[in-house]
Structure formats: structure tokens, C-alpha cells
Amino acid sequence: MDSIKTDLCILGAGSGGLSAAAGAVQMGAKVVLLEGGKMGGDCLNYGCVPSKALIGAAKHAYAMTSGAAFGVTPVTPDIDFARAKDHVFSVIAQIAPHDSIERFEGLGVHVISHYGEFVSSREVIAGDHRISARRFIIATGSSPLVPPIPGLSDVPYETNETIFELREKPEHLVIIGGGPIGMELAQAHRRLGCLVTVIEGIKALGRSHPEHADIVLQQLRDEGVVIHEGVAAERVEGDSGSVTVHGAEGLTVTGTKLLVAVGRKPNIDKLNLGAAGIATSGPAITVDESLKTTNRRVYAIGDVTGGFQFTHVAGYHASVVLKSALFGLKSKVRHDHIPAATYTDPEIAEVGLSEDDARRKYGAGIEIVSFGYDENDRALAEGNGKGAVRAVIFKGRPVGASIVGSGAGEQIHLWSMAIANRLKLGAFAATIAPYPTMGEASKRAAGAYFAKRLFGNLWVKRAVRLVQRF
């Protein structure tokens, strides 16, 4: 067995692992990167990239049916589902070189194409290699959670790891799970000509602001997606081409394909964490505020920690860990400025505290400011007047924000930046947005905070009248 000694050994070549490897090696550390699956991890191969590529194809199909208000006669698109999937994989292929073994070896990273398994507190085995390292980073990500629904293991079903491989259009796609993944794929498949039914045990898009979620859900229903909320899937039966989901209250839905999209679970099964003295909390690895595990030489980042399961969080975690692992500097993770986006049409994007959480934390001192897309000139010009910016303010600083509407994901970073840097709303007031843009909506929402202090204030009016006497 080949013995390797290194400064840093990273387990997992998804977003977090790749960010850590690239950063560490370019700052002079010796790095070994272990990956038994595909470079780029879930995001590139099964998640963010293919789903957004499929959504892109679906938007082109929908545009052909929805132009009447603009003087464009709607037509029924002729959809080649297999070619839509060709587009998906062409996008993956364009991005893959950036995450490839060749690129990282070119940077100086020693890439080993095997999964890593701890055999002691300072050693990992991967294939025929035994690696000892001064520090380790676990970045193994997560996988689709398959719930213990009776009968599910006996029928064919898809997850986000398999759904993009389908080249024949599903006649009727049944989706268990009404979270962001389920709803994004529901709308995309509906626009590409499939019948789609979603079954959600609680509330679809339940983590989003209720009013904003309702705007999105109504749009999906208007497009023909059938959504059953508050109905848990209790039993599944069928075979290839005909799968039936039996739900509470007598619900029965039969489709040609079944997609399970109820969440994700951290990938820890192959790691043999006990041999390294690494504790877990439920299905996730236990970490402290610096992302160290119970083994002080081992860090864990991204989905495997059980928190926010976003690609950008894994990358952020990597930057936090490198500061500590490479330079020995104290570095703490914070999540109050982490944005999230759901790429339905319209989109939902959020950051920071919800209104309820802010009230629990700050009491009656919070204020809500908002601005509707129906007052934004660019939104109206493009027929996107359904939407709003809504922010939670405490002592003149935003502590949370939610946006629903066209381009919401492109705007939420403004609020993330403000929260991250503890900026006051005056920073928005001092910012000039080009006219007409969607970005004006956030500026106008922030402006609403000052408007009620200036325009309805008796003392302001008295001061103005006094000055005008001179």
C-alpha cells in the first residue's frame, strides 16, 4: 500500500472540497483530494447545474405559449425532450473542465479517485493509498433522502440523481415533496409538456414567506401543475410505466414516473468516523463554530454538517476553514447572511431572519418595509408585475429579507451584503440603481423606511416651513 504524507487531505470533490483544495494548494500547502464519484459533486452533475439548464429549456417552451399580451400569437411548441436533455448535459460538459482532475492536478493537487475512509485520528485509506495528514476536511456532501414509505422500495422511482438521465418525456410525473427541488422540477416538466402532480405532506414551499410562496404556487397551478398540500404519501405501488401513490384522506394519484424529492441526507456512511473519534448529531457531523469536529485535526464543511444545504454555503465554509487550517487563525462561521433561492418562475429568494424569527429575537422593535413589483417600471414593461420585496428591519438595519418575482435570486445579494456588513438602510438610499431595473425595487423598499419618517413627520414639516422664511 502506497503511503502519502501531506498537509491537508480533503474528502470529497464537490463545491466545498474543490474550493478548499484550490485555495490551499495555491497558498503553498500540500493537498491530497479524494473523490470516488464524479468531480464537481452533486451540484455540477445532479443538482444546481442540470436543474437550471432544464429550467432554461422549459422557459423557452413556455415563452412560445405566453406572448399574447405582447402581441405575439401563442403557439404550441414542438418539444424534443431528448434534445432538451442534450442541452442539460452540454452545460455540464462546458463547466466540467473547471472541476476536472486535470485542472486540479495542474494546480498541484494530488487527486485520488477513491472514497476515503478513516482508520485512525490522523490516517485515511483510499484505494491502495494510506494518507496521513496534519489536517483533514470532510466535504462529502449529501444524497437524496428516500423516506420509508411502504411499497416505495418495490417500485421504480427517480431522484435528482437519476431524473436528468431520462430521455423519453414522462407522460405524467408524480412528485413526492413540495420543497424547492420538487417545485422547480414540477414547473420545468410541466412546461416541457408533461402532466405533473405534486404531493406534499405539509405546505409546499413551506420555508418561504407564506404570501410569497402563494404567488409562486398560484403561478404553477395556473400553468397546470396539480399540487396537493397537507396530504402525506402513505403507500406506493405499481411497476414501470404506472406508479400509484396513495395518500391521506383517500388521495390516489397514478402516473407514469415517480420522483422522490423530500430532502437530503449527509454522506457519512463510508467515512468510518468512529475510528477518527468524530462525533455525529443525528445524521450529520458535529462541528463547532469554527467547523472543527470532535477530532481537532478534522474539519467538516457543507451539506455533511447538516445545516444549509447550498453550494454557495459549502464554498463559504471552505473559506472559513482555510483561515484556521492554514494560518492557525481563529475563524468562526456565521449563517445570518446566507441567501437562498428557489428558481421557479417567479423566483423566491431569502436571507436572514423571517418575520416570526425576528419578532422572537427582537420583540416589538422590528419594522417591515416592502415594495411591490407592480410599482416597478421594468417589471411592468416586461409583464412581470407579480412580486414584491419585503425586508425586516431592526434599529435601522436589515436583519432579513424575502423577494418573490422575476430575478429575485439576482437581487437578494444586496440584502445579504447589507446584513453581512451590518449596514444601515442609508446605504441603500445612497445607492443609485440604473433606471429602469428590477434592482430599483430593493432600493424603493429600503426607501419606504425613511418615507414614513420624513413625509408624515410634523417636525420635519415645521423645519421646512421655518427654513423657507429665509
Side-chain angles (χ1 to χ4, degrees):
M1 181 170 284
D2 181 29
S3 294
I4 300 172
K5 292 185 178 181
T6 190
D7 298 323
L8 184 63
C9 178
I10 302 170
L11 291 79
S15 173
L18 293 178
S19 296
V25 75
Q26 291 180 94
M27 287 189 284
K30 293 172 60 179
V31 179
V32 172
L33 176 63
L34 311 178
E35 178 54 72
K38 294 182 178 181
M39 295 287 287
D42 182 84
C43 179
L44 173 61
N45 299 290
Y46 314 114
C48 312
V49 171
S51 64
K52 304 313 165 282
L54 191 68
I55 288 170
K59 282 185 176 180
H60 282 280
Y62 181 69
M64 297 180 69
T65 70
S66 57
F70 300 90
V72 179
T73 301
V75 296
T76 301
D78 183 9
I79 296 169
D80 187 330
F81 197 75
R83 288 191 65 185
K85 291 301 180 71
D86 288 341
H87 165 68
V88 169
F89 286 100
S90 73
V91 174
I92 294 174
Q94 291 174 63
I95 298 173
H98 186 266
D99 294 349
S100 66
I101 291 175
E102 293 77 14
R103 174 174 179 259
F104 278 81
E105 287 182 337
L107 292 174
V109 178
H110 184 175
V111 182
I112 297 175
S113 298
H114 291 280
Y115 293 111
E117 175 185 349
F118 284 96
V119 292
S120 73
S121 62
R122 300 186 64 171
E123 290 182 306
V124 165
I125 288 179
D128 294 330
H129 308 277
R130 180 183 289 266
I131 303 104
S132 61
R134 292 182 175 86
R135 300 286 187 274
F136 294 86
I137 297 176
I138 300 173
T140 47
S142 63
S143 299
L145 174 65
V146 179
I149 301 173
L152 184 59
S153 60
D154 299 323
V155 303
Y157 64 87
E158 310 296 332
T159 68
N160 73 289
E161 291 187 349
T162 62
I163 188 73
F164 300 107
E165 299 285 348
L166 297 181
R167 297 188 62 79
E168 183 176 344
K169 182 176 70 177
E171 180 181 336
H172 185 179
L173 179 65
V174 179
I175 302 175
I176 299 178
I181 295 174
M183 302 316 294
E184 288 178 5
L185 292 179
Q187 187 177 42
H189 281 83
R190 178 63 189 134
R191 289 180 166 188
L192 290 171
C194 308
L195 297 176
V196 179
T197 302
V198 178
I199 300 172
E200 167 56 46
I202 306 175
K203 177 75 172 70
L205 299 177
R207 294 185 179 182
S208 298
H209 187 280
E211 293 178 12
H212 290 186
D214 287 345
I215 290 174
V216 173
L217 297 178
Q218 186 58 55
Q219 177 64 32
L220 266 67
R221 288 186 167 110
D222 289 346
E223 293 182 22
V225 178
V226 177
I227 305 171
H228 297 284
E229 299 179 272
V231 182
E234 297 181 339
R235 181 168 57 89
V236 180
E237 63 181 356
D239 50 27
S240 180
S242 180
V243 179
T244 300
V245 179
H246 299 276
E249 303 178 3
L251 177 70
T252 299
V253 179
T254 299
T256 55
K257 287 290 182 181
L258 174 64
L259 170 64
V260 177
V262 298
R264 303 185 64 77
K265 62 176 183 178
N267 293 329
I268 63 173
D269 294 344
K270 294 182 174 70
L271 295 174
N272 193 25
L273 297 173
I278 299 171
T280 59
S281 301
I285 294 176
T286 303
V287 293
D288 64 14
E289 59 187 6
S290 65
L291 297 173
K292 280 186 180 180
T293 70
T294 48
N295 179 336
R296 65 184 183 87
R297 296 183 178 276
V298 182
Y299 298 84
I301 64 176
D303 290 9
V304 79
T305 64
F308 291 103
Q309 294 179 329
F310 306 127
T311 296
H312 48 281
V313 172
Y316 164 61
H317 281 181
S319 67
V320 172
V321 164
L322 288 184
K323 184 177 179 181
S324 174
L326 298 185
F327 299 103
L329 300 174
K330 191 172 184 180
S331 184
K332 295 182 180 180
V333 69
R334 53 181 288 210
H335 290 128
D336 61 330
H337 63 311
I338 299 295
T342 299
Y343 298 96
T344 47
D345 180 13
E347 297 177 353
I348 295 180
E350 296 152 319
V351 65
L353 298 175
S354 68
E355 293 178 31
D356 290 342
D357 289 340
R359 286 192 175 90
R360 281 189 284 269
K361 183 172 182 177
Y362 297 116
I366 69 165
E367 296 182 56
I368 307 299
V369 297
S370 63
F371 186 78
Y373 271 36
D374 58 353
E375 298 181 85
N376 178 272
D377 294 356
R378 179 65 177 273
L380 293 174
E382 297 189 355
N384 292 320
K386 293 180 180 178
V389 178
R390 190 177 181 92
V392 185
I393 312 301
F394 180 68
K395 292 184 177 180
R397 288 186 172 89
V399 295
S402 176
I403 306 175
V404 62
S406 176
E410 305 294 340
Q411 298 183 61
I412 198 65
H413 70 284
L414 291 172
W415 296 97
S416 174
M417 180 179 68
I419 294 171
N421 295 282
R422 297 181 172 84
L423 300 179
K424 289 195 171 184
L425 286 177
F428 283 86
T431 300
I432 306 300
Y435 175 87
T437 58
M438 305 299 292
E440 287 183 294
S442 287
K443 177 179 170 65
R444 293 286 296 275
Y449 176 82
F450 298 104
K452 63 183 179 181
R453 284 165 168 77
L454 293 174
F455 302 147
N457 190 305
L458 179 61
W459 290 105
V460 171
K461 292 181 178 180
R462 287 177 175 175
V464 170
R465 288 199 295 268
L466 178 62
V467 171
Q468 299 313 303
R469 293 178 182 177
F470 298 95

